[in-house]
Amino acid sequence: MENRRVALVTGASRGIGRAIATRLASSNIDIVINYNKDLEGAEETQKQCEKIGVKTRILQGDMGKEEDVNLIFENIVDEFGKIDILINNAGITIDGLLISMKEEAFREVLEVNLFSAFYTMKLAARIMAKNRFGRIINISSIVGIRGNAGQVNYSASKAGLIGMTKSLAKEMAKRNIRVNAIAPGFIETDMTHKLSNNIKNKMLEEIPVGYFGKPEDIGNLVNFLVSEEANYITGQVISIDGGMNI
Ligand code: NAP
């Protein structure tokens, strides 16, 4: 029987997560689709992956809660016996200026965007170390590098992911586990759809290529970074932003 790689993509019910899941499926990788609220969206992702011909499993869970993450990993090990690839993609924004930001808004964004990666990477790294193979990709953001007014909480979470990526890359390199971060610029998804036209037009002026990115752009980069062609890349933050961060 063919022994395919197994990938967990968190927050795969739409947007960038769905594009990553379907792109990895097209590389013949079995996909665990995590979502928190949008079952219908997760089922659509599953349909698209299964059409390609890989095995899939949908696992609900709030990635910001350690008990949910523990259960998800128990299920993955029961069903697939391993995890080879972990994509920490689940993320939220609760924007506002620091002077009026409630502690709750800071905490919730940190829990979903950053603590989630602490919980998942800890469990995944143990399994991957035993198997002497692992690829971990953390979806950070240009905002984690440059900061952004109104996003103190979000930028802290995304900068935190970068620090964790580099540290874990050093800890795990000898066990054939590669850990990298991706820093997207402006990608057209529900997350950016809610921004005003005024903000979108201002951002467009800052993007040298002159247009917004698509979720598939991120899917393609993830697919490369987990492939054998990227074996010598670890601890890196790869910007994918149409030149916005130049
Ligand atoms: P999106 O369209 O809003 O999708 C977010 C995904 O995360 C959904 O599948 C959502 O699932 C899931 N999610 C949210 N909270 C969750 C939780 N507590 N547990 C598990 N899943 C959860 O966002 P996106 O634009 O695709 O963003 C994906 C990632 O890319 C995020 O980490 C984001 O910060 C990052 N990013 C995006 C951009 C951009 O321009 N779009 C730029 C830089 C970085 P449910 O609806 O089921 O909860």
Side-chain angles (χ1 to χ4, degrees), residues 170-220:
K170 287 184 172 174
E171 289 181 17
M172 289 294 163
K174 293 221 165 51
R175 295 186 171 88
N176 193 23
I177 299 172
R178 306 285 175 258
V179 191
N180 290 292
I182 291 177
F186 190 109
I187 309 298
E188 284 178 323
T189 67
D190 288 356
M191 186 177 271
T192 44
H193 189 68
K194 61 188 178 193
L195 298 172
S196 70
N197 281 339
N198 191 20
I199 291 183
K200 283 188 199 167
N201 288 336
K202 269 198 197 139
M203 288 201 169
L204 208 47
E205 282 169 22
E206 274 196 71
I207 303 174
V209 300
Y211 57 88
F212 297 132
K214 298 247 177 300
E216 291 71 25
D217 295 320
I218 312 300
N220 287 334

Side-chain angles (χ1 to χ4, degrees), residues 125-136:
R126 286 184 189 150
I127 299 167
M128 291 170 174
K130 261 194 226 149
N131 295 335
R132 288 287 192 274
F133 182 90
R135 299 288 178 267
I136 298 174

Side-chain angles (χ1 to χ4, degrees), residues 158-177:
K158 295 300 183 180
L161 277 179
I162 291 173
M164 285 169 81
T165 298
K166 292 182 180 181
S167 298
L168 190 66
K170 287 184 172 174
E171 289 181 17
M172 289 294 163
K174 293 221 165 51
R175 295 186 171 88
N176 193 23
I177 299 172

Side-chain angles (χ1 to χ4, degrees), residues 6-22:
V6 177
L8 164 63
V9 184
T10 72
S13 56
R14 56 193 147 91
I16 292 172
R18 176 182 289 161
I20 294 170
T22 53

Side-chain angles (χ1 to χ4, degrees), residues 34-36 60-69 72 108 111-112 116 119:
N34 158 256
Y35 76 100
N36 186 30
Q60 190 278 334
D62 178 346
M63 300 310 287
K65 296 211 164 74
E66 190 171 18
E67 58 272 24
D68 285 19
V69 176
I72 285 171
E108 196 176 330
E111 280 173 357
V112 175
S116 57
Y119 304 140

